[in-house]
Amino acid sequence: MEEPKDAGIKLDGAVAEARANNPSLAAARRQLALLQAEVSINSAYPNPSLEVDKAISAGSDGYEAKLSQPLPLTRRAGTAGAAAGAAYEAAQKELEALETSVLGAVRKAWYALRIAKERRNFEETNLKFSMDILNKIEMRLQTGEAGNSDLARAKVESSRSGFHLQEAETMLSSAAGELNALLGRRPDAPLVVSENGGFSLAPLPPALEPLEKYTALALARRAEPRSLALNTKAADLAVTLEKSKRLPVPELGLIHGSADGAGYSRLFLGLELPLWYNNKGEIKRALAQRAVLGYEEKRLDLEIRREVYNAWLELGLAQKRLASARETVFLLNDLRRTASQDYLSGKIDLTSFYETNRVFLEENVNYLDALNGYYEKTAQMDAAMNSGEEK
């Protein structure tokens, strides 16, 4: 018999869909197209100009045509094109950094949805268990083995279990809405998470490496330092470009005309003289932008180190919490079932049973929270190091 096909979205599928459809990434790609057009615009050589004058006085058939071409003394177009090209490449790296951030959020949201589903399943099972206990107490009430107080307590606990299931359903819908938004879907769109692949209820976390290793990997892999280097290159070229604009731009041309029935032609050389302004403001602005980027290098280095440090600390703590919670849940695995049997056999009272039940529920929920924390901090560390591996 063929096994039913898993139609739910897997982690790698969610990552691929977000890469293609995430609204923030789509907007950044369109912005990148604008910068690519700027490269062509700034690389263009100045166009020639043509002027024609025609005499309109009575009996006159004279005219004059003037063709001129600016001839920059510096490689102004090449410098402007190179600056725009560096800015475009920097934007590509910024898009890569944004993609790392978005896909890290997708991984967190996918794990949160998967664990929310486990939480919902757990609360469903607990509600069935509570209703089973309530039914048995009702039967014991008829035989005189249980009192009205036991029945009232069992009804309260069943009602509480029902609310916890509703709470888990809401958490599941909220987690699905968060992932849907990252995938470029409506938050209320149907979304089923896969039961297979990319997730384990009992993961075995690898031992953490020294902080220095993670920091070195982050500084080598992250796109932000490369983006900053390209922006710095663009700023240097902008300074060179603005300084070159202080030089006059020659204009070479040809004049051809006709007057009194005789034609004539002559060459001319024009010159734009930057006497009044000399591009001082633009040069000052370009130098200031370059200075800002020089300080940004140090700030970015410290920011990356801080992110890695926090991720390293939090992942270590998440691993310890998960190990502790797993051990506790293992010890409590059969405790509730044994306690219910002891109550029904008269060995313990109902209050003792529900105290055991409370501890059992709290520790199971705590384990799911610890599991979510572990996967979330793992995704956070992957994003800090620009590691795209699905765990």
Side-chain angles (χ1 to χ4, degrees), residues 298-322:
K298 180 179 179 181
R299 187 205 67 79
L300 180 59
D301 181 84
L302 291 174
E303 177 67 15
I304 291 175
R305 292 177 182 275
R306 182 192 66 80
E307 288 180 10
V308 175
Y309 179 62
N310 287 344
W312 183 73
L313 288 177
E314 292 174 6
L315 180 55
L317 183 61
Q319 288 183 351
K320 292 175 182 176
R321 181 189 176 190
L322 180 62

mmCIF file of all heavy atoms in Angstrom, residues 298-322:
data_model
loop_
_atom_site.group_PDB
_atom_site.id
_atom_site.type_symbol
_atom_site.label_atom_id
_atom_site.label_comp_id
_atom_site.label_asym_id
_atom_site.label_seq_id
_atom_site.Cartn_x
_atom_site.Cartn_y
_atom_site.Cartn_z
ATOM 1 N N LYS A 298 34.518 50.507 11.565
ATOM 2 C CA LYS A 298 34.740 50.091 12.945
ATOM 3 C C LYS A 298 33.422 49.705 13.615
ATOM 4 O O LYS A 298 33.351 48.696 14.333
ATOM 5 C CB LYS A 298 35.409 51.223 13.727
ATOM 6 C CG LYS A 298 35.680 50.887 15.184
ATOM 7 C CD LYS A 298 36.366 52.040 15.894
ATOM 8 C CE LYS A 298 36.611 51.684 17.368
ATOM 9 N NZ LYS A 298 37.262 52.810 18.094
ATOM 10 N N ARG A 299 32.369 50.499 13.368
ATOM 11 C CA ARG A 299 31.074 50.212 13.984
ATOM 12 C C ARG A 299 30.540 48.868 13.514
ATOM 13 O O ARG A 299 30.015 48.078 14.304
ATOM 14 C CB ARG A 299 30.072 51.316 13.625
ATOM 15 C CG ARG A 299 28.740 51.190 14.372
ATOM 16 C CD ARG A 299 27.615 51.850 13.609
ATOM 17 N NE ARG A 299 27.334 51.147 12.372
ATOM 18 C CZ ARG A 299 26.640 50.028 12.284
ATOM 19 N NH1 ARG A 299 26.153 49.449 13.367
ATOM 20 N NH2 ARG A 299 26.430 49.465 11.103
ATOM 21 N N LEU A 300 30.690 48.589 12.211
ATOM 22 C CA LEU A 300 30.184 47.332 11.657
ATOM 23 C C LEU A 300 30.939 46.140 12.221
ATOM 24 O O LEU A 300 30.342 45.114 12.538
ATOM 25 C CB LEU A 300 30.294 47.361 10.134
ATOM 26 C CG LEU A 300 29.793 46.115 9.399
ATOM 27 C CD1 LEU A 300 28.319 45.854 9.697
ATOM 28 C CD2 LEU A 300 30.012 46.258 7.903
ATOM 29 N N ASP A 301 32.235 46.259 12.375
ATOM 30 C CA ASP A 301 33.035 45.171 12.945
ATOM 31 C C ASP A 301 32.564 44.848 14.361
ATOM 32 O O ASP A 301 32.377 43.674 14.718
ATOM 33 C CB ASP A 301 34.512 45.569 12.951
ATOM 34 C CG ASP A 301 35.402 44.466 13.516
ATOM 35 O OD1 ASP A 301 35.771 43.555 12.767
ATOM 36 O OD2 ASP A 301 35.714 44.530 14.730
ATOM 37 N N LEU A 302 32.346 45.894 15.151
ATOM 38 C CA LEU A 302 31.870 45.677 16.526
ATOM 39 C C LEU A 302 30.455 45.102 16.543
ATOM 40 O O LEU A 302 30.130 44.255 17.390
ATOM 41 C CB LEU A 302 31.907 46.998 17.302
ATOM 42 C CG LEU A 302 33.303 47.553 17.611
ATOM 43 C CD1 LEU A 302 33.196 48.930 18.255
ATOM 44 C CD2 LEU A 302 34.074 46.609 18.526
ATOM 45 N N GLU A 303 29.602 45.531 15.608
ATOM 46 C CA GLU A 303 28.230 45.044 15.557
ATOM 47 C C GLU A 303 28.185 43.556 15.232
ATOM 48 O O GLU A 303 27.432 42.791 15.849
ATOM 49 C CB GLU A 303 27.436 45.838 14.510
ATOM 50 C CG GLU A 303 26.009 45.388 14.310
ATOM 51 C CD GLU A 303 25.123 45.635 15.518
ATOM 52 O OE1 GLU A 303 25.526 46.406 16.412
ATOM 53 O OE2 GLU A 303 24.028 45.046 15.577
ATOM 54 N N ILE A 304 28.977 43.127 14.265
ATOM 55 C CA ILE A 304 29.012 41.709 13.904
ATOM 56 C C ILE A 304 29.534 40.884 15.077
ATOM 57 O O ILE A 304 28.983 39.821 15.403
ATOM 58 C CB ILE A 304 29.871 41.492 12.649
ATOM 59 C CG1 ILE A 304 29.183 42.095 11.423
ATOM 60 C CG2 ILE A 304 30.135 40.003 12.419
ATOM 61 C CD1 ILE A 304 30.001 42.040 10.160
ATOM 62 N N ARG A 305 30.575 41.362 15.725
ATOM 63 C CA ARG A 305 31.118 40.646 16.883
ATOM 64 C C ARG A 305 30.082 40.554 17.997
ATOM 65 O O ARG A 305 29.972 39.523 18.677
ATOM 66 C CB ARG A 305 32.387 41.340 17.383
ATOM 67 C CG ARG A 305 33.563 41.230 16.415
ATOM 68 C CD ARG A 305 34.779 42.003 16.925
ATOM 69 N NE ARG A 305 35.876 41.925 15.989
ATOM 70 C CZ ARG A 305 36.772 40.935 15.938
ATOM 71 N NH1 ARG A 305 36.685 39.935 16.816
ATOM 72 N NH2 ARG A 305 37.741 40.940 15.050
ATOM 73 N N ARG A 306 29.310 41.626 18.197
ATOM 74 C CA ARG A 306 28.282 41.617 19.242
ATOM 75 C C ARG A 306 27.185 40.603 18.914
ATOM 76 O O ARG A 306 26.742 39.851 19.789
ATOM 77 C CB ARG A 306 27.671 43.014 19.395
ATOM 78 C CG ARG A 306 26.615 43.110 20.491
ATOM 79 C CD ARG A 306 25.856 44.414 20.400
ATOM 80 N NE ARG A 306 25.060 44.483 19.191
ATOM 81 C CZ ARG A 306 23.881 43.911 19.029
ATOM 82 N NH1 ARG A 306 23.357 43.201 20.011
ATOM 83 N NH2 ARG A 306 23.223 44.036 17.892
ATOM 84 N N GLU A 307 26.740 40.578 17.645
ATOM 85 C CA GLU A 307 25.697 39.647 17.245
ATOM 86 C C GLU A 307 26.142 38.194 17.442
ATOM 87 O O GLU A 307 25.380 37.363 17.930
ATOM 88 C CB GLU A 307 25.319 39.884 15.782
ATOM 89 C CG GLU A 307 24.541 41.173 15.539
ATOM 90 C CD GLU A 307 24.186 41.362 14.074
ATOM 91 O OE1 GLU A 307 24.374 40.405 13.286
ATOM 92 O OE2 GLU A 307 23.730 42.462 13.718
ATOM 93 N N VAL A 308 27.370 37.900 17.040
ATOM 94 C CA VAL A 308 27.887 36.536 17.183
ATOM 95 C C VAL A 308 28.022 36.168 18.658
ATOM 96 O O VAL A 308 27.677 35.058 19.078
ATOM 97 C CB VAL A 308 29.226 36.378 16.443
ATOM 98 C CG1 VAL A 308 29.830 34.999 16.702
ATOM 99 C CG2 VAL A 308 29.049 36.601 14.958
ATOM 100 N N TYR A 309 28.510 37.106 19.452
ATOM 101 C CA TYR A 309 28.696 36.857 20.885
ATOM 102 C C TYR A 309 27.364 36.543 21.558
ATOM 103 O O TYR A 309 27.244 35.562 22.307
ATOM 104 C CB TYR A 309 29.352 38.082 21.523
ATOM 105 C CG TYR A 309 29.587 37.960 23.014
ATOM 106 C CD1 TYR A 309 30.424 36.981 23.535
ATOM 107 C CD2 TYR A 309 28.961 38.834 23.900
ATOM 108 C CE1 TYR A 309 30.642 36.876 24.895
ATOM 109 C CE2 TYR A 309 29.166 38.739 25.260
ATOM 110 C CZ TYR A 309 30.009 37.753 25.758
ATOM 111 O OH TYR A 309 30.212 37.653 27.111
ATOM 112 N N ASN A 310 26.347 37.372 21.264
ATOM 113 C CA ASN A 310 25.028 37.133 21.857
ATOM 114 C C ASN A 310 24.434 35.812 21.383
ATOM 115 O O ASN A 310 23.849 35.059 22.175
ATOM 116 C CB ASN A 310 24.085 38.284 21.509
ATOM 117 C CG ASN A 310 24.405 39.561 22.273
ATOM 118 O OD1 ASN A 310 25.123 39.531 23.265
ATOM 119 N ND2 ASN A 310 23.879 40.678 21.812
ATOM 120 N N ALA A 311 24.568 35.528 20.087
ATOM 121 C CA ALA A 311 24.038 34.272 19.553
ATOM 122 C C ALA A 311 24.740 33.072 20.181
ATOM 123 O O ALA A 311 24.105 32.052 20.477
ATOM 124 C CB ALA A 311 24.200 34.247 18.030
ATOM 125 N N TRP A 312 26.039 33.188 20.397
ATOM 126 C CA TRP A 312 26.831 32.110 21.002
ATOM 127 C C TRP A 312 26.391 31.856 22.443
ATOM 128 O O TRP A 312 26.181 30.704 22.852
ATOM 129 C CB TRP A 312 28.298 32.492 20.939
ATOM 130 C CG TRP A 312 29.260 31.472 21.463
ATOM 131 C CD1 TRP A 312 29.621 30.289 20.867
ATOM 132 C CD2 TRP A 312 30.007 31.546 22.676
ATOM 133 N NE1 TRP A 312 30.547 29.622 21.631
ATOM 134 C CE2 TRP A 312 30.801 30.370 22.759
ATOM 135 C CE3 TRP A 312 30.087 32.485 23.695
ATOM 136 C CZ2 TRP A 312 31.662 30.125 23.828
ATOM 137 C CZ3 TRP A 312 30.940 32.238 24.758
ATOM 138 C CH2 TRP A 312 31.710 31.068 24.822
ATOM 139 N N LEU A 313 26.225 32.927 23.209
ATOM 140 C CA LEU A 313 25.777 32.788 24.598
ATOM 141 C C LEU A 313 24.367 32.194 24.660
ATOM 142 O O LEU A 313 24.101 31.275 25.447
ATOM 143 C CB LEU A 313 25.793 34.156 25.290
ATOM 144 C CG LEU A 313 27.153 34.762 25.637
ATOM 145 C CD1 LEU A 313 26.966 36.151 26.238
ATOM 146 C CD2 LEU A 313 27.927 33.875 26.606
ATOM 147 N N GLU A 314 23.471 32.737 23.845
ATOM 148 C CA GLU A 314 22.070 32.300 23.905
ATOM 149 C C GLU A 314 21.898 30.874 23.391
ATOM 150 O O GLU A 314 21.065 30.127 23.919
ATOM 151 C CB GLU A 314 21.207 33.270 23.100
ATOM 152 C CG GLU A 314 21.121 34.652 23.759
ATOM 153 C CD GLU A 314 20.398 35.670 22.903
ATOM 154 O OE1 GLU A 314 19.858 35.279 21.838
ATOM 155 O OE2 GLU A 314 20.355 36.852 23.290
ATOM 156 N N LEU A 315 22.682 30.481 22.386
ATOM 157 C CA LEU A 315 22.596 29.111 21.898
ATOM 158 C C LEU A 315 23.112 28.131 22.946
ATOM 159 O O LEU A 315 22.536 27.056 23.150
ATOM 160 C CB LEU A 315 23.384 28.953 20.597
ATOM 161 C CG LEU A 315 23.380 27.550 19.971
ATOM 162 C CD1 LEU A 315 21.959 27.058 19.737
ATOM 163 C CD2 LEU A 315 24.176 27.542 18.671
ATOM 164 N N GLY A 316 24.191 28.506 23.630
ATOM 165 C CA GLY A 316 24.696 27.646 24.702
ATOM 166 C C GLY A 316 23.678 27.455 25.807
ATOM 167 O O GLY A 316 23.476 26.337 26.296
ATOM 168 N N LEU A 317 23.016 28.548 26.187
ATOM 169 C CA LEU A 317 21.991 28.462 27.227
ATOM 170 C C LEU A 317 20.795 27.646 26.744
ATOM 171 O O LEU A 317 20.236 26.838 27.502
ATOM 172 C CB LEU A 317 21.541 29.863 27.626
ATOM 173 C CG LEU A 317 20.521 29.958 28.763
ATOM 174 C CD1 LEU A 317 21.094 29.360 30.040
ATOM 175 C CD2 LEU A 317 20.095 31.404 28.984
ATOM 176 N N ALA A 318 20.403 27.823 25.475
ATOM 177 C CA ALA A 318 19.276 27.073 24.917
ATOM 178 C C ALA A 318 19.571 25.576 24.896
ATOM 179 O O ALA A 318 18.684 24.758 25.170
ATOM 180 C CB ALA A 318 18.954 27.572 23.513
ATOM 181 N N GLN A 319 20.806 25.207 24.597
ATOM 182 C CA GLN A 319 21.183 23.795 24.596
ATOM 183 C C GLN A 319 21.098 23.209 26.004
ATOM 184 O O GLN A 319 20.602 22.084 26.197
ATOM 185 C CB GLN A 319 22.598 23.635 24.047
ATOM 186 C CG GLN A 319 22.711 23.863 22.552
ATOM 187 C CD GLN A 319 24.120 23.621 22.038
ATOM 188 O OE1 GLN A 319 25.061 23.433 22.815
ATOM 189 N NE2 GLN A 319 24.288 23.612 20.732
ATOM 190 N N LYS A 320 21.554 23.967 26.992
ATOM 191 C CA LYS A 320 21.500 23.481 28.374
ATOM 192 C C LYS A 320 20.051 23.358 28.855
ATOM 193 O O LYS A 320 19.695 22.391 29.545
ATOM 194 C CB LYS A 320 22.292 24.423 29.280
ATOM 195 C CG LYS A 320 23.793 24.394 29.018
ATOM 196 C CD LYS A 320 24.533 25.427 29.845
ATOM 197 C CE LYS A 320 26.022 25.420 29.530
ATOM 198 N NZ LYS A 320 26.762 26.479 30.256
ATOM 199 N N ARG A 321 19.229 24.339 28.503
ATOM 200 C CA ARG A 321 17.820 24.270 28.905
ATOM 201 C C ARG A 321 17.138 23.069 28.264
ATOM 202 O O ARG A 321 16.356 22.359 28.917
ATOM 203 C CB ARG A 321 17.091 25.558 28.499
ATOM 204 C CG ARG A 321 15.628 25.548 28.918
ATOM 205 C CD ARG A 321 14.855 26.704 28.334
ATOM 206 N NE ARG A 321 13.442 26.613 28.686
ATOM 207 C CZ ARG A 321 12.477 27.367 28.171
ATOM 208 N NH1 ARG A 321 12.777 28.283 27.262
ATOM 209 N NH2 ARG A 321 11.229 27.215 28.544
ATOM 210 N N LEU A 322 17.434 22.812 26.997
ATOM 211 C CA LEU A 322 16.826 21.685 26.297
ATOM 212 C C LEU A 322 17.240 20.363 26.933
ATOM 213 O O LEU A 322 16.404 19.475 27.136
ATOM 214 C CB LEU A 322 17.225 21.709 24.821
ATOM 215 C CG LEU A 322 16.652 20.588 23.954
ATOM 216 C CD1 LEU A 322 15.130 20.661 23.914
ATOM 217 C CD2 LEU A 322 17.233 20.656 22.543
#
